[in-house]
Amino acid sequence: MKKWFKGFMAVTLASVVLAGCGSNATSGQTDGKDGSADGKKKLVISTWGFSEDFFNKEVYEPFEKEHNVDIVVEIGNNAERLNKISQGSTDVDLIYLSDYYAQQGIQQGLFEKLDRSKVPNLNQIYDIAKAPLGEEYGPAYTVGRLGIAYNPELVKKDVTSWADLWGTEFKGNVTLPNITATAGPMMVDAASKVAGSKEFNEDQAFGKLKELSPNIVKFYSKTSEFVNMFSQQEIAGGPIMEMYFKDLQAAVPGAKFVAPSEGAYAVMNTINVVKGSDQKELAEEFINWQLSKEVQEKSAKAKVDSPVNTQVVLSGADTQGITYGADVVNKLTKLDMKFVNDHIKAWTDRWNREVTQ
């Protein structure tokens, strides 16, 4: 049986997700691909539209001024934006994607090979972030973790393991991410571990998930669904990305977040140059800027993204609400995204037949 995930030992930091419109940036198209209406170079960036004000001020505007460029932002979810590139219906130069979708882009041949000599800040970031999908492609600019959040008023024992989700404390009051969510495949792997398999075993994984199914209040696709159920005490807890834990604490101040003893999962967001971009060198300079100590530190302190730059040092409240520290990252589990993409259709079919019914 092929081992489809690997633990990693890397000195790294982390968290999740980003983006928005630049201050001089605009959403949508301009007067041609080579430059904007004012004669400046144009760099088109595809991203999620998250934390727009922060990225306008701290990321886009300084880069625009230094490089005499206008940044144009296209916003959407991973699938929408990747599909536009695949269809050739956009002039995007640079794209932010989760590693799951970035792997699809790689397999479709949608990205340029990265000239790492043009990105010297790669030397300052943690090993796991340098080449999460191969040396030819872009780095992860942030790494988060998937663990378990729970309400100790409803779960009287200390939660320490993925296996605890199968315990009596979570009977009839737990949630899991749907298979189509970012964390869905991670739960397939976690179930295999709970079943006792040292290497991934699909049959054992789905057997454990079927066993847990009667206790699931809802399979969530959006984090907001988890937060709503948690705040209304419809659920006692479940797997969630650490970056969203602050939203749970706002609703339930005593909530706890734990990294299971078998290992929390790495949630990685990448940045790549799109195939055919006529601004490849400028795009690589932007990647270098995104990885800089200056941007990474500001992102971390604003609770936008956890830093992967090793020169960022945080303390006190600045470390709260983000995935931070070598002791945390060394215990993370990183999935093999090529294996996941090769099997996700079959897993989705099986999930719908055996788990959600």
Side-chain angles (χ1 to χ4, degrees):
M1 178 67 65
K2 179 176 177 180
K3 187 173 182 180
W4 67 281
F5 66 89
K6 57 182 179 179
F8 57 81
M9 296 297 290
V11 191
T12 186
L13 306 176
S15 185
V16 168
V17 110
L18 85 61
C21 282
S23 58
N24 294 328
T26 57
S27 261
Q29 305 299 320
T30 61
D31 296 341
K33 182 166 175 56
D34 295 334
S36 58
D38 59 8
K40 295 180 180 178
K41 293 180 181 178
K42 183 182 73 170
L43 184 69
V44 183
I45 297 177
S46 175
T47 189
W48 294 274
F50 177 83
S51 298
E52 292 184 76
D53 290 343
F54 174 84
F55 281 94
N56 289 343
K57 181 179 179 182
E58 305 295 352
V59 183
Y60 299 141
E61 183 178 315
F63 188 85
E64 287 177 317
K65 289 180 178 178
E66 181 174 346
H67 295 273
N68 193 34
V69 59
D70 283 332
I71 290 177
V72 178
V73 177
E74 292 193 358
I75 291 172
N77 64 36
N78 282 289
E80 293 168 344
R81 296 183 294 106
L82 184 63
N83 188 52
K84 286 180 70 175
I85 291 173
S86 178
Q87 293 179 342
S89 59
T90 180
D91 58 358
V92 167
D93 299 296
L94 192 70
I95 189 165
Y96 290 91
L97 291 169
S98 69
D99 55 353
Y100 172 73
Y101 285 93
Q103 180 63 47
Q104 293 180 32
I106 289 171
Q107 291 178 226
Q108 293 178 50
L110 301 181
F111 304 146
E112 294 282 356
K113 294 181 179 179
L114 188 69
D115 184 347
R116 291 183 170 257
S117 69
K118 300 293 178 61
V119 190
N121 284 333
L122 282 168
N123 297 322
Q124 295 181 6
I125 71 173
Y126 291 88
D127 288 343
I128 186 178
K130 290 179 179 178
L133 301 175
E135 290 288 333
E136 294 181 332
Y137 301 103
Y141 64 91
T142 185
V143 183
R145 63 175 173 171
L146 181 83
I148 298 172
Y150 69 100
N151 184 342
E153 293 296 317
L154 301 179
V155 180
K156 300 302 182 181
K157 63 171 285 185
D158 289 336
V159 174
T160 61
S161 166
W162 289 115
D164 289 333
L165 295 176
W166 277 257
T168 57
E169 295 284 348
F170 283 102
K171 187 174 181 179
N173 63 9
V174 70
T175 185
L176 285 188
N178 206 340
I179 186 63
T180 55
T182 299
M186 298 172 188
M187 294 315 302
V188 177
D189 179 60
S192 176
K193 290 180 178 179
V194 172
S197 180
K198 291 184 178 180
E199 295 192 351
F200 176 69
N201 184 301
E202 181 178 319
D203 289 336
Q204 290 187 8
F206 278 92
K208 291 302 290 185
L209 289 167
K210 185 176 181 179
E211 178 186 319
L212 184 60
S213 182
N215 291 331
I216 304 296
V217 175
K218 182 178 183 178
F219 294 91
Y220 74 92
S221 297
K222 298 179 180 179
T223 306
S224 59
E225 295 173 328
F226 189 121
V227 175
N228 290 336
M229 289 187 291
F230 195 80
S231 64
Q232 297 297 320
Q233 296 193 1
E234 296 175 21
I235 58 170
I240 194 170
M241 297 181 195
E242 186 177 24
M243 68 170 293
Y244 300 113
F245 181 60
K246 62 182 182 297
D247 299 323
L248 300 183
Q249 279 188 309
V252 181
K256 293 185 177 181
F257 178 89
V258 296
S261 57
E262 305 94 334
Y265 287 89
V267 183
M268 307 179 75
N269 285 340
T270 66
I271 185 167
N272 273 280
V273 182
V274 176
K275 193 81 169 180
S277 169
D278 59 1
Q279 300 292 349
K280 181 174 184 290
E281 186 171 336
L282 184 63
E284 289 169 339
E285 289 185 41
F286 184 88
I287 294 174
N288 194 56
W289 168 240
Q290 177 67 72
L291 299 177
S292 69
K293 179 176 182 279
E294 179 180 349
V295 170
Q296 294 269 309
E297 184 174 279
K298 289 180 178 179
S299 297
K301 290 183 176 180
K303 311 300 184 186
V304 172
D305 283 312
S306 298
V308 294
N309 189 303
T310 61
Q311 297 187 12
V312 175
V313 178
L314 304 173
S315 61
D318 287 338
T319 67
Q320 302 302 309
I322 58 173
T323 304
Y324 177 81
D327 57 333
V328 171
V329 177
N330 286 347
K331 299 175 183 177
L332 293 177
T333 298
K334 177 182 178 297
L335 299 188
D336 179 343
M337 285 302 162
K338 185 178 186 304
F339 187 87
V340 171
N341 273 288
D342 288 346
H343 291 80
I344 192 62
K345 185 179 185 301
W347 292 347
T348 301
D349 292 342
R350 191 167 184 179
W351 180 284
N352 291 334
R353 290 196 317 270
E354 301 178 24
V355 181
T356 62
Q357 296 298 318

